[in-house]
């Protein structure tokens, strides 16, 4: 099991710098008015950062397939929680809200 | 039944290794921890049972004349909270699961023995908070803690009960986590996934639910407490919050939780049927996979508790559809259990009688669950005694019966002593009859329109209520008997020997009671699960490992 | 409705009984036929994929039929037909307060005519309650902070139990009442015997009393939108959404004016939360509804089901409905022009 | 390696070898993080629903946040993740001094985060933005103040839970530090450091989402 590769200190610093840059970028973008895309961009950046942390700092990239599956499963059930709850909230006003989204 | 000449008297085992109190309270032996749980949940079952009997007594007459309305409300709340969080959820997984999972997979212990002990302490601390709430004025929110009643209007001890539920939740999470890791990492050499006993599959599935579902309950209950303490408005309509959000989050856990309560029991049923029919379970793969299917599908159906609560019609229909799907894997299990008996060689030992009772009662409970899944019917019977009858059929009729079946089956393994067979059969009969008499009338009551959580009710419902109360007293005796004769057997029971039922499974291949580290030598598995053909064939006995 | 529910119920009882007896009988048979004395050696059978598929498929097919059947019933139960008479209900710990549009108010008793569709528009003053009439096979939770609705049609005169089915505290089991179903003539007599004016006229009084009329005027000078003709039509909001002006929207506009701002207006309307009782709100809602077709005392127009809980039914027959305002089917056309006109 | 504890000493009786033991712990830790995801998941679900419903109030609430402090804190956490990862790395190499150093740095950064958070909380308190009797929100905009209160309820629930996790993390780091100073870890046995590392990064990860959701995404809308 210990045969697999490990990230090096260099990787850690590279990831760290990237994370800091992305933080700066996301703060910067927040000052622009992109309409609904502010949220999209911010969350896309957050997800990139999260992935970096997961894959390199938490070494998910170098972990077993089982561990990866565990993470995917967690996200899947999280989506179920959010998605099915929204299935109620988003259809509640179907008679009234002609356009529930903006 | 073959009596073995292997004497267990002189050997040291996990029970006689050390008698000091400290050796129990600080043990990390999964078997001892299982027994600590057994003792605790028995106490809580009695407590919950006493609340139940008071409920039934009050409902003997239509006028609410035995206790005050407030007292009644506290009674059913505390009955529900104690029975669910302090008894049924930990019952099979934390007692039998704890005891048997390592034995069945040929491990020395669970993967994290200290965490296991910690789970028990956490459980006790959580239970302490709940008991504190009960003693200092009780709790009257119903076990469901619906807002805004629980957050704003109840003037009972909601916060400490919520804290208690929160804490016991972590005990459940850790038990589940431990079981999953153990099944993944601690299996004996040669014990592949498809050689695992179905009991393990069932516990694995239940543990997945514990790990994924319980945290959501935890955060929800924290929000309830915060709302009560600091007037957070998240669930409070007066402040613009939505009480239905609480219900969504609550049932996201609490529906899957019903499968935490039933799945481990289903594992027990599979083991016992196989043993007393001397057969490999029919459709092993399907039964194993149906456990996983129940666990996953169980997360998709929660809003069937909310059809009339004010969710959108469309959501109600989606959830209704999904709820029907979750019934299918249970059907698969029932049919496979039945088919396992085909061409078996059946002995009517008491565990098997409990199993028969289980299948009958689970079918009634499950099929009435299908009634409730049907939106059009549920609209009428939700929050009536129909629902009360449904869930007692599945929780008491099925889960508790399965627990009893398992206790009989593994009692010889746990203590090294046989229970008295005749008494066991009598109590099985009493439970079955008393149970049906208690809860079948409640289906009728529900359809006739008697709402649940009613302290007083219109007189036309009295006859059925009296029947139900009468049944409950028989049921109480049925539950009391096993406690008495199990205790009796500790002293007077026959020595069981390592494998009194000649059952397959690694747990039977070590002494009864097992030694502290379970096996003298780690077993190496070279055979399929449920190799009853080999065990029973006169030429080839399976060699007993260790 | 009771008939539909019972039919499905008995079908389910039959299915349940069938499976329970089938499985029990098979188990019993196997248990006797293959007992150890008679069959000392078990025959190992590993399973059969064909059988598995069979007994997965059959129950699946059965439950799908049940699903469709029950969903159809559910639609009927939750969509009030057009032309239903409306009764407002406020639940509180621990009583039911009814208000008829004709004016009468009742507590824990509800008089309704036989053979008429009755739509309940319900809200709670405190915790969640649930309006349950077993004889009509209907139930709907009564929530604080918004309107929910349900409907029924009584076919037999008589007195029927009304229960609160959602646990609501100490006197939950005492929160019971009666639905008194009368024949049409007797009902009319009962409804008009009181001295109190109609609900809408009570609302009109509040409308003056609370100063609503200062801002909401029929000329262009008002600081708030002209409320004539608002009800039952889509309203364009300042954030671009369009909402249906149903009972819940009106209610929300009064109690939380800030949450949905009509396009072209400022958020200057004060909140009336805490100043108006639920009954007064209901009066105002009924009044604004009546304004919907211009004349306060005109028959209350047919409304759409309330916000959220039970969305609009696909337009059905409704030919006998006496109202005409539905000539402008609201959900059909978002018509952002409509609210703009009113400015 | 200097004075590494014999590997056998750290092997618990019920495991066959250290590898099995380590695999088990790692797997258990990841499962525990799954429960954490679901735990915060409930809050994220609530956040999303109310944001869709009470958009204007959300914008108003969000605009009271100090983006600068939030950004600083994000950077602080990211740095602490780096030091944590370096601590794990040095522990694996058996470099006890460096491990201690990085653990201390992580701890310091963690407390810096909590300090900044405390400053922010204090600001909210001063501005009467804490839900409850003290709550008062007077801003131009088309929303109901009660809805802003819900925003703040969720804000405090989310960041509070996050801070609570940081405090637990701080405790764990302290325990690691002490164990490390006592020479418990070696090239063979350093699983606890790795496990706490996973936990610490997870807590960081939660913040990575909290920051944009609470501070940034509504910055430019007008409520
Ligand atoms: C151990 C606990 C347990 C189990 C296993 C179940 C199992 C099921 N439950 Fe139950 N349920 C509860 C405990 C449980 N329930 C509790 C505690 C409540 C109330 C909580 C409260 O409000 O306080 C409740 C409430 C409840 C409701 C909400 C009622 C209401 O409040 O209005 C619904 C609605 O759909 C429901 C459905 C089901 C279904 C479809 C199953 C299915 O999983 C059942 C599947 C089993 C079978 C179907 C039987 C075997 C199959 C056959 C014999 C083959 C033939 C089958 C077919 C043709 C379908 N349950
Ligand atoms: C595991 C779960 C579990 C179990 C085992 C039981 C067991 C029993 N329950 Fe329980 N029940 C619930 C879970 C459970 N219940 C839940 C979740 C609710 C909903 C609560 C809510 O609405 O919030 C509920 C509600 C509920 C109600 C509805 C109350 C209401 O809505 O107003 C009733 C009424 O009859 C009832 C009765 C019983 C009875 C008679 C038993 C019997 O099976 C108990 C028999 C056991 C004993 C009696 C103990 C052992 C015997 C002795 C100790 C003998 C000595 C004692 C005496 C002779 C008194 N229960
Ligand atoms: Cu009102 Cu129960
Ligand atoms: Cu359920």
């Amino acid at each position: 099991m210990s045969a697999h590769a490990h990230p090096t200190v260099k990787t850690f610093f590279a990831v760290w710098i990237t994370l800091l840059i992305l933080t700066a970028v996301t703060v910067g973008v927040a000052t622009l008015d992109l309409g609904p895309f502010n949220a999209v961009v911010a969350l896309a950046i957050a997800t990139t950062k999260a992935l970096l942390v997961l894959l390199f700092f938490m070494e998910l990239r170098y972990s077993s397939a089982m561990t990866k599956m565990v993470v995917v499963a967690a996200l899947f059930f999280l989506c179920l929680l959010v998605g099915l709850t929204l299935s109620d909230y988003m259809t509640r006003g179907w008679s009234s809200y002609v356009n529930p989204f903006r | 039944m073959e009596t073995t000449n292997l004497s267990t008297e002189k050997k040291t085992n996990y029970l006689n290794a050390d008698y000091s109190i400290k050796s129990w309270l600080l043990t990390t032996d999964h078997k001892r921890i299982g027994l600590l749980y057994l003792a605790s949940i028995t106490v809580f079952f009695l407590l919950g049972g006493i609340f139940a009997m008071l409920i039934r007594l009050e409902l003997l007459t239509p006028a609410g004349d035995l206790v005050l309305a407030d007292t009644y409300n506290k009674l059913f709340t505390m009955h529900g909270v104690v029975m669910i969080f302090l008894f049924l959820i930990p019952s099979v997984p934390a007692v039998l699961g704890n005891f048997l999972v390592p034995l069945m997979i040929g491990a020395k212990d669970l993967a994290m023995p200290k965490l296991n002990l910690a789970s028990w302490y956490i459980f006790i601390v959580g239970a302490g908070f709940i008991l504190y709430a009960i003693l200092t004025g009780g709790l009257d929110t119903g076990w469901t803690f619906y807002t805004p009643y629980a957050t704003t209007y109840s003037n009972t001890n909601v916060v400490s009960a919520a804290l208690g539920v929160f804490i016991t939740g972590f005990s459940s999470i850790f038990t589940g986590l431990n079981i999953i890791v153990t099944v993944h990492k601690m299996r004996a050499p040669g014990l592949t996934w498809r050689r695992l006993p179905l009991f393990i599959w069932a516990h694995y599935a239940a543990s997945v639910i514990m790990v994924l579902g319980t945290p959501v309950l935890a955060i929800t209950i924290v929000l309830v407490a915060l709302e009560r303490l600091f007037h957070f408005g998240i669930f409070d309509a007066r402040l613009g919050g939505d009480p239905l959000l609480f219900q969504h989050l609550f049932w996201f856990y609490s529906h899957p939780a019903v499968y935490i309560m039933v799945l481990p029991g289903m594992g027990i049923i599979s083991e016992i049927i196989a043993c007393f029919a001397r057969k490999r379970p029919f459709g092993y793969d399907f039964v194993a996979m149906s456990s996983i299917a129940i666990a996953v599908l169980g997360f998709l159906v929660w809003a069937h508790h909310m059809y009339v609560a004010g969710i959108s019609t469309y959501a109600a229909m989606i959830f209704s559809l999904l709820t029907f799907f979750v019934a299918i894997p249970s059907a698969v299990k029932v049919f496979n259990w039945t088919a396992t008996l085909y061409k078996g060689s059946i002995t009517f030992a008491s565990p098997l009688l409990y199993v028969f009772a289980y299948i009958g009662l689970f079918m009634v409970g499950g099929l009435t669950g299908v009634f409730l899944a049907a939106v059009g019917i549920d609209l009428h019977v939700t929050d009536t005694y129909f629902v009360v009858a449904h869930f007692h059929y599945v929780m008491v009729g099925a889960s508790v019966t399965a627990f009893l079946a398992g206790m009989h089956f593994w009692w010889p393994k746990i203590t090294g002593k046989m229970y008295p067979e005749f008494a066991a059969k009598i109590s099985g009969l009493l439970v079955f009859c008393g149970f049906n008499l208690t809860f079948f009338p409640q289906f009728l009551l529900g359809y006739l329109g008697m709402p649940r959580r009613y302290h007083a009710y219109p007189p036309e419902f009295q006859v059925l209520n009296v029947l139900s109360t009468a049944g409950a007293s028989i049921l109480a005796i049925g539950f009391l008997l096993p406690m008495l004769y199990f205790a009796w057997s500790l002293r007077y029971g026959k020595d069981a020997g390592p494998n009194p039922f000649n059952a397959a499974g690694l747990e039977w291949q070590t002494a009864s009671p097992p030694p502290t580290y379970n096996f003298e030598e780690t077993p190496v598995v070279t055979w399929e699960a449920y190799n009853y053909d080999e065990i029973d064939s006169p030429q080839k006995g399976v060699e007993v490992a260790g | 409705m009771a008939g539909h529910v019972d039919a499905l119920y008995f079908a389910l009882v039959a299915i349940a009984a069938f499976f329970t007896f089938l499985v029990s009988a098979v188990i019993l048979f196997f248990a006797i036929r293959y007992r150890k004395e008679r069959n000392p050696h078990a025959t190992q059978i590993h399973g059969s994929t064909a059988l598995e598929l069979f007994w997965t498929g059959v129950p699946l097919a059965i439950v799908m039929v049940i699903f469709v059947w029950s969903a159809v019933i559910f639609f009927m139960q939750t969509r009030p037909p057009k032309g239903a008479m409306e009764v407002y209900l406020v639940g509180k710990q621990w009583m039911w307060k009814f208000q008829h549009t004709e004016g009468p108010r009742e507590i824990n008793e509800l008089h309704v005519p036989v053979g008429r569709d009755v739509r309940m528009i319900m809200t709670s003053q405190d915790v969640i309650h649930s309006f349950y009439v077993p004889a009509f096979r209907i139930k709907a939770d009564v929530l604080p902070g918004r309107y929910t609705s349900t409907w029924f049609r009584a076919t037999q005169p008589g007195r029927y139990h009304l229960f609160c089915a959602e646990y609501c505290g100490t006197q939950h089991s005492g929160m019971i009442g009666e639905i008194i179903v009368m024949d049409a003539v007797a009902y009319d007599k009962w409804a008009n015997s009181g001295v109190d004016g109609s609900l809408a006229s009570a609302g009109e009084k509040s409308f003056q009393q609370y100063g609503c009329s200062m801002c909401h005027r029929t000329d262009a000078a008002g600081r708030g939108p002209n409320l004539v003709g608002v009800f039952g039509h889509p309203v364009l909001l300042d954030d671009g959404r369009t909402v249906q002006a149903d009972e819940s929207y009106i209610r929300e506009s009064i109690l939380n004016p800030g949450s949905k701002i009509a396009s072209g207006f400022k958020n200057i309307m004060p909140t009336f939360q805490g100043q108006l009782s639920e009954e007064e709100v209901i009066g105002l809602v009924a009044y604004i509804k009546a304004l919907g077709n211009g004349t306060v005392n005109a028959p209350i127009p047919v409304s759409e089901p309330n916000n959220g809980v039970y969305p609009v039914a696909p337009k059905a027959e409704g030919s006998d409905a006496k109202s005409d305002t539905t000539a402008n089917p609201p959900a059909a056309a978002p018509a952002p022009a409509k609210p703009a006109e009113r400015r | 390696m200097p004075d590494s504890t014999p590997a056998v000493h750290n092997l618990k009786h019920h495991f066959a070898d250290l590898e099995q033991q380590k695999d088990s712990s790692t797997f258990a830790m990841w499962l525990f993080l799954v429960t954490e995801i679901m735990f915060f998941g409930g809050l994220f679900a609530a956040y999303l629903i109310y944001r869709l419903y009470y958009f204007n109030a959300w914008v108003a609430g969000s605009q009271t946040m100090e983006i600068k402090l939030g950004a600083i804190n994000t950077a602080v956490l990211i740095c602490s993740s780096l030091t944590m990862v370096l601590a794990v790395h040095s522990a694996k190499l058996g470099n006890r001094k460096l491990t201690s150093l990085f653990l201390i740095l992580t701890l310091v950064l963690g407390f810096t985060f909590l300090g900044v958070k405390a400053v922010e909380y204090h600001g909210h308190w001063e501005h009467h933005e804490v839900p409850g009797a003290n709550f008062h929100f007077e801003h131009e905009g088309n929303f109901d103040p009660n809805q802003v209160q819900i925003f703040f309820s969720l804000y405090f629930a989310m960041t509070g839970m996050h801070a609570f996790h940081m405090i637990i993390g701080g405790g764990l780091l302290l325990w690691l530090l002490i164990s490390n100073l006592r020479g418990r870890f070696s090239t063979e046995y350093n699983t606890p450091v790795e496990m706490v590392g996973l936990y610490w990064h997870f807590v960081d990860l939660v913040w990575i989402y909290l920051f944009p959701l609470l501070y940034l995404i509504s910055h430019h809308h007008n409520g």
Side-chain angles (χ1 to χ4, degrees), chain B residues 298-316:
Chain B
F299 277 101
L300 308 179
V301 306
W302 74 82
H304 66 210
H305 296 270
M306 305 163 62
Y307 289 151
V308 303
I311 60 173
S312 95
T313 327
Y314 302 96

Side-chain angles (χ1 to χ4, degrees), chain B residues 209 213 251-261 295 298-300 302:
Chain B
I209 304 178
W251 290 115
F252 178 85
Y253 164 75
S254 293
H255 178 79
V258 310
Y259 298 117
I260 301 179
M261 306 179 213
F299 277 101
L300 308 179
W302 74 82

Side-chain angles (χ1 to χ4, degrees), chain B residues 232-253:
Chain B
F232 277 31
I234 299 172
F235 303 136
D236 189 344
R238 281 181 320 166
L239 302 177
D242 183 9
L244 290 190
L245 182 61
F246 168 80
Q247 298 179 20
H248 275 298
L249 294 176
F250 178 82
W251 290 115
F252 178 85
Y253 164 75

Side-chain angles (χ1 to χ4, degrees), chain C residues 63-276:
Chain C
V63 294
M64 285 305 100
V65 173
I66 301 173
F67 166 67
V68 173
W69 187 351
S70 81
V72 169
I73 293 182
F74 186 60
F75 253 78
M76 295 196 291
Q77 284 165 322
T78 49
R79 267 123 221 276
K82 288 184 182 177
M85 72 178 252
E86 290 177 342
V87 177
Y88 290 84
L89 157 61
V90 178
K92 62 166 285 205
Q93 283 175 327
W94 292 276
M95 62 169 75
W96 301 103
K97 298 189 281 189
F98 297 99
Q99 293 188 22
H100 293 257
T101 46
E102 295 95 328
R105 292 151 185 257
E106 309 184 65
I107 286 184
N108 291 347
E109 270 190 357
L110 173 63
H111 290 74
V112 292
V114 74
R116 278 282 297 281
D117 297 329
V118 181
R119 176 172 172 235
M120 307 296 306
I121 301 164
M122 313 184 290
T123 189
S124 162
Q125 221 166 286
D126 37 49
V127 299
I128 303 176
H129 305 275
S130 190
F131 179 81
Y132 179 34
V133 187
F136 305 156
R137 310 286 188 270
I138 55 145
K139 183 184 288 123
D141 280 11
V142 178
L143 299 168
R146 67 186 242 221
Y147 289 123
T148 56
S149 97
T150 184
W151 73 279
F152 59 88
R153 182 189 337 182
T155 52
Q156 290 281 320
R159 303 170 85 92
Y160 300 95
H161 281 301
L162 160 64
F163 293 128
C164 175
E166 183 63 66
Y167 174 66
C168 54
T170 311
Q171 283 304 324
H172 164 59
S173 63
M175 193 166 163
I176 55 180
E178 275 188 329
I179 310 288
I180 300 163
V181 179
M182 318 166 86
D183 65 56
V185 182
Y187 175 76
D188 281 340
K189 213 169 127 205
W190 175 85
N192 296 316
S193 63
V195 280
D196 24 5
S198 79
L199 189 55
S201 62
E204 189 172 7
K205 279 199 206 88
S206 312
F207 202 74
Q208 304 294 338
Q209 185 191 336
Y210 288 99
C212 318
S213 49
M214 295 193 328
C215 300
H216 295 287
R217 300 164 39 155
T218 43
D219 53 29
R223 286 196 288 162
N226 179 357
L227 294 180
V228 172
V230 169
F231 189 84
H233 295 291
V235 175
L236 182 68
L237 301 183
D238 78 332
D239 59 12
R241 284 183 299 172
T242 309
V243 299
Q244 190 64 35
D246 54 15
E247 290 95 350
S248 281
Y249 172 72
I250 303 294
R251 181 199 149 84
E252 198 182 1
S253 294
I254 299 170
L255 297 178
N256 284 322
S259 68
K260 298 199 180 79
I261 307 296
S263 169
F265 291 92
K266 286 248 168 55
N267 181 28
I268 50 165
M269 173 166 163
T271 173
F272 287 86
Q273 184 116 49
Q275 299 176 40
L276 298 168

